[in-house]
Each structure stands twice: as structure tokens, then as C-alpha cells.
Amino acid sequence: MKIDKAIWLYGLSGAGKSTIAKELNNILIENKIPHVLLDGDDLRSGINKDLGFSNKDRNENIRRAAELADLLMRQNVISICSFITPFYALRKMVKEILKEKVVLVFINTPIEVCTQRDVKGLYAKAKTNVIKEFTGISSQFEDISNGDIVISTTNKSPRQCAEDILSKILR
């Protein structure tokens, strides 16, 4: 198995990005492929903890993540990136930074399913305005048409989704 791309998973909160990213991580470990998992929650608790959720801060969060993925790719380390990335302009910026080294994967999960999976209670908080500018509720998720791969999670396990992603990348 030879992969020479950063894998950028994007979609709504609760879509399954992190879970699928962990399955991709497991598959790459099994195949002894050097990689790193960059997850939005993890980066926001460390390197990006100074950022909020304004549009300016969201842009900077994604820019830093893409730049980090680029640094890693230059060292032949694959990056599995898991970020909501709700705006077309953000996904375009990721493509501009990573160029041909990235494959954008839209994790296509209906908001109703995301709300049911909401283990953190974020959708409930967003619906009562405790959380402002929450993607899918008070902040939009823009057109997905610039995704290279679209994966539906409603009828597949996370492992199957990860295997589907890899099979499409390896084609």
C-alpha cells in the first residue's frame, strides 16, 4: 500500500470524521505506513488553543492545520486531517496550501443523524443559543462540490468507510 496524499476529512460535527480518522489510523498502523492524525479537537486543545470560532479564527485554525500537514508531507509522513472545514473558501485554502498532496473527503452524514450522535451535547447547546455560530445550526455548511471523495456513513461501519476512502485513493 503506497499513499502519498494528506487525507482531509470534513463534515458536520458528529458526522464521524474523528471515528473514521481513527480507523484510517489503525489501517495505516497495520500496514506500517508513517502517518500522523491531526484532529480539530486535539489541535484546539494545544497548538490552536488561542483560537475561538469567529470566521477569522476558523480560517487560522484550518490554515495552521494545513501548513502542519504540508510540513509533515515534506518529511514523507501522511497526515490524516479531521476538521469540520465548513466553508468552500477554507477547503480551497487547504487545496492551495497542500496542492496535489491532498485528497478532500466529505463525510456525508445528515444533520438529523449528527444530532442523534451528539455525545458532547453541542447541538442541544447550539439550539438554545448557548453556543453561537455552530455549524449546521446558526452557521452554514457551504457547498460540498469541491470534495474529491464523498463518503456516506449512514449504512456503513467506520471501518468500511475508512476502507472505502483508501480504496478510492489507491485507484
Side-chain angles (χ1 to χ4, degrees):
M1 180 183 302
K2 176 154 174 37
I3 300 171
D4 59 356
K5 303 269 186 211
I7 303 168
W8 194 282
L9 307 174
Y10 70 99
L12 291 169
S13 179
K17 297 177 302 299
S18 295
T19 305
I20 294 168
K22 288 174 187 166
E23 287 296 335
L24 287 165
N25 179 64
N26 293 338
I27 293 169
L28 296 182
I29 288 171
E30 291 163 11
N31 287 278
K32 297 177 177 45
I33 296 172
H35 69 283
V36 68
L37 175 56
L38 302 176
D39 186 80
D41 288 342
D42 292 340
L43 263 66
R44 282 192 174 273
S45 68
I47 196 169
N48 289 343
K49 68 181 175 184
D50 61 322
L51 300 175
F53 292 91
S54 68
N55 283 342
K56 180 180 175 186
D57 284 354
R58 283 177 198 251
N59 289 349
E60 182 61 12
N61 180 53
I62 297 302
R63 187 195 67 76
R64 289 180 191 177
E67 293 287 358
L68 184 54
D70 185 51
L71 284 170
L72 291 163
M73 291 296 294
R74 284 190 258 151
Q75 301 302 315
N76 299 312
V77 177
I78 296 162
S79 296
I80 303 167
C81 305
S82 175
F83 296 87
I84 292 174
T85 325
F87 304 120
Y88 175 81
L90 293 177
R91 296 187 295 273
K92 183 178 177 196
M93 177 177 57
V94 167
K95 283 274 195 182
E96 288 169 355
I97 292 169
L98 292 168
K99 301 180 179 34
E100 74 286 344
K101 296 181 290 189
V102 67
V103 59
L104 294 176
V105 181
F106 175 57
I107 305 303
N108 186 12
T109 307
I111 194 163
E112 300 79 25
V113 174
C114 294
T115 302
Q116 291 169 356
R117 294 178 180 170
D118 188 19
V119 295
K120 299 176 195 171
L122 300 176
Y123 282 97
K125 289 178 183 175
K127 288 178 182 177
T128 59
N129 288 323
V130 172
I131 298 176
K132 309 273 188 230
E133 298 299 314
F134 189 77
T135 304
I137 302 297
S138 53
S139 181
Q140 68 179 13
F141 193 99
E142 290 182 342
D143 181 26
I144 61 152
S145 63
N146 66 330
D148 301 311
I149 297 172
V150 177
I151 295 292
S152 175
T153 65
T154 52
N155 296 318
K156 294 180 184 174
S157 72
R159 180 71 178 212
Q160 289 170 317
C161 291
E163 289 169 349
D164 285 354
I165 291 165
L166 289 175
S167 72
K168 290 177 182 182
I169 291 171
L170 293 171
R171 272 191 210 148

